[in-house]
Amino acid sequence: MLVSVKDSIKFIGVTVVCFCAVFVCTFFLNYYLDIVPLEADISEDVMPLYKAQLATAQMTCGITGGFLSVIAVIMLLFYIKLYIDAHGKEIGTFKAMGYSDSEIAGSFTVFGLGAFIGCALGFGIGWTFMPTIYNQLAIDGLPEITVRFHPSLLFALVVAPAVVFTVLAYVYGIIILRKPALAIMRGTPTKTKKVKHKTDAKNRPFLKEFCLSALGSKKTLVFWITFSCFCFSAMVQMGLSMENLASGTMAVMILIIGLVLAFISMFMAMTSLVKENAKNIAVMKAMGFSVRERFAAVFVGYIPFAVLGFAIGTVYQFGLLQLMINVIFNAVGEIPAYTFDVPVFFYTLFMFAVAYSAVFAVYLIKTNRIPVKMIMTEN
């Protein structure tokens, strides 16, 4: 087998995203299925809150499950592309030996294992939290809701996603392997522009061109960095706001899920960025560029996208909470109206600046350790 089970487990991003999506959807969908049959027993006084709870369960599963499912698919394709780029020589050799695209792509179905593990863990751990969540969602005047197991939910949240991701990995593998064997073996070489290190004024155009070239050729990394900052902004602000609007348990879950997604996607992007620019960084070190100049060339171009992700996350969480509180729970008198929480925004902004400055600093240190001798060898 070209791709081993060990290889698939290394790419835990898909596993984590699938876990988060299924974890949230498990107790909300189960709660929805358990509460729907009770509608006939609901009094008119409690009916607005009952319908609001149903709408919350539907919207949370739709937004969280749907959004994270799309991210998991994108992450899966990103991982497969990374794997092919890293193992181009082996894959190209197999093609040259006569193995068909479908035979090689069949090995990529192992990547579906990560999705299955994430979904299974999310479903199992979601069930352990089920009694706590049911207590948090309890409605005064409504009969006690018994937690029931729904086999259809197990199939929809564990079996079906694993099958879909396995098939998707196979199909994408066939599509991306259509190139000739020699092209796969060579990969896409990184072109290094050689210039003489002159005065600072002369260096600026080169650094700017290097930065823009890196951004243009690595659009996927732009997406992951923006997404990471979006997750941090949206989920941290939402979690801190939910502590006042709902319960501490829900707030903690939202915070943890948001932080995990944010740092995993940032880790993926930054690791790939440093790896793919390693030779360029080595060339710049050999030419005498300073640490500050190398940082500007490799990382600075991504900072505006990090800020953009934070801004989009702020707008997203505000709109979502306003929709839930001011529209869905509008008929429930005891629920206060939601307005933008300025202190939470500035607190999150401060944490964001500290956390991502630390991330950039760590990877700047990693780039500084890249040996100059790397430019003397070719992979």
Side-chain angles (χ1 to χ4, degrees):
M1 181 180 289
L2 182 61
V3 185
S4 66
V5 174
K6 185 178 179 180
D7 289 325
S8 69
I9 294 175
K10 289 180 182 178
F11 301 142
I12 63 170
V14 174
T15 302
V16 172
V17 174
C18 289
F19 168 82
C20 294
V22 173
F23 174 71
V24 173
C25 290
T26 294
F27 44 73
F28 273 111
L29 285 177
N30 210 86
Y31 177 80
Y32 179 84
L33 294 175
D34 285 341
I35 198 176
V36 164
L38 302 177
E39 185 173 1
D41 300 327
I42 304 299
S43 64
E44 293 184 3
D45 294 337
V46 184
M47 185 60 71
L49 183 56
Y50 169 80
K51 290 184 176 180
Q53 292 282 55
L54 289 178
T56 299
Q58 289 176 317
M59 188 176 72
T60 301
C61 292
I63 293 176
T64 303
F67 177 71
L68 292 180
S69 296
V70 172
I71 295 302
V73 169
I74 297 174
M75 194 173 286
L76 175 69
L77 305 184
F78 180 73
Y79 274 143
I80 294 175
K81 181 65 169 59
L82 282 181
Y83 183 86
I84 292 176
D85 289 343
H87 297 81
K89 290 184 179 179
E90 299 97 308
I91 295 173
T93 300
F94 272 91
K95 284 199 68 171
M97 292 171 61
Y99 285 85
S100 66
D101 291 349
S102 59
E103 288 175 318
I104 298 175
S107 296
F108 296 160
T109 58
V110 176
F111 289 113
L113 178 64
F116 173 76
I117 293 173
C119 293
L121 288 175
F123 189 84
I125 297 178
W127 258 89
T128 63
F129 278 85
M130 199 80 73
T132 302
I133 300 301
Y134 272 44
N135 289 334
Q136 298 288 343
L137 298 174
I139 302 174
D140 293 334
L142 190 70
E144 184 178 351
I145 303 172
T146 303
V147 179
R148 293 182 175 85
F149 177 75
H150 301 277
S152 59
L153 203 58
L154 174 64
F155 176 82
L157 295 180
V158 179
V159 179
V163 173
V164 169
F165 275 81
T166 301
V167 173
L168 184 62
Y170 174 76
V171 172
Y172 183 68
I174 290 180
I175 293 173
I176 205 170
L177 289 170
R178 287 179 176 176
K179 296 185 294 185
L182 188 58
I184 295 176
M185 293 176 70
R186 288 177 175 174
T188 305
T190 301
K191 297 181 179 179
T192 303
K193 187 174 181 178
K194 297 181 180 180
V195 299
K196 294 182 179 180
H197 190 182
K198 300 181 181 178
T199 62
D200 288 341
K202 297 288 185 180
N203 291 332
R204 289 192 195 108
F206 166 76
L207 295 176
K208 183 177 180 180
E209 182 180 351
F210 182 98
C211 181
L212 294 176
S213 176
L215 285 173
S217 61
K218 308 298 177 188
K219 297 182 178 65
T220 306
L221 302 184
V222 171
F223 167 79
W224 286 119
I225 289 175
T226 305
F227 171 71
S228 170
C229 301
F230 166 84
C231 287
F232 187 99
S233 173
M235 303 299 268
V236 170
Q237 291 186 72
M238 191 179 299
L240 295 176
S241 299
M242 287 290 287
E243 188 174 5
N244 299 324
L245 297 172
S247 64
T249 303
M250 293 295 294
V252 170
M253 284 195 301
I254 291 172
L255 274 172
I256 293 176
I257 290 175
L259 292 175
V260 168
L261 289 175
F263 284 107
I264 281 184
S265 53
M266 179 58 78
F267 170 78
M268 287 170 47
M270 297 295 282
T271 300
S272 181
L273 176 64
V274 171
K275 182 178 180 181
E276 295 182 15
N277 284 283
K279 289 194 175 183
N280 290 330
I281 294 169
V283 169
M284 295 179 70
K285 288 183 70 175
M287 294 168 61
F289 284 94
S290 67
V291 174
R292 181 183 62 82
E293 289 171 321
R294 296 198 298 271
F295 175 81
V298 178
F299 296 113
V300 166
Y302 293 90
I303 292 178
F305 294 98
V307 175
L308 176 64
F310 184 89
I312 296 174
T314 299
V315 175
Y316 170 82
Q317 67 85 27
F318 173 68
L320 184 60
L321 286 179
Q322 202 170 47
L323 175 65
M324 292 179 64
I325 303 301
N326 296 347
V327 177
I328 295 178
F329 284 89
N330 185 44
V332 182
E334 61 268 22
I335 303 296
Y338 173 71
T339 55
F340 186 74
D341 198 326
V342 177
V344 166
F345 168 77
F346 282 107
Y347 181 65
T348 305
L349 181 61
F350 173 76
M351 291 193 298
F352 171 79
V354 172
Y356 283 88
S357 295
V359 169
F360 278 110
V362 168
Y363 280 92
L364 178 61
I365 293 173
K366 288 178 71 85
T367 62
N368 200 41
R369 292 176 178 172
I370 295 174
V372 175
K373 66 180 181 180
M374 179 172 287
I375 62 177
M376 302 177 184
T377 61
E378 288 292 333
N379 291 331

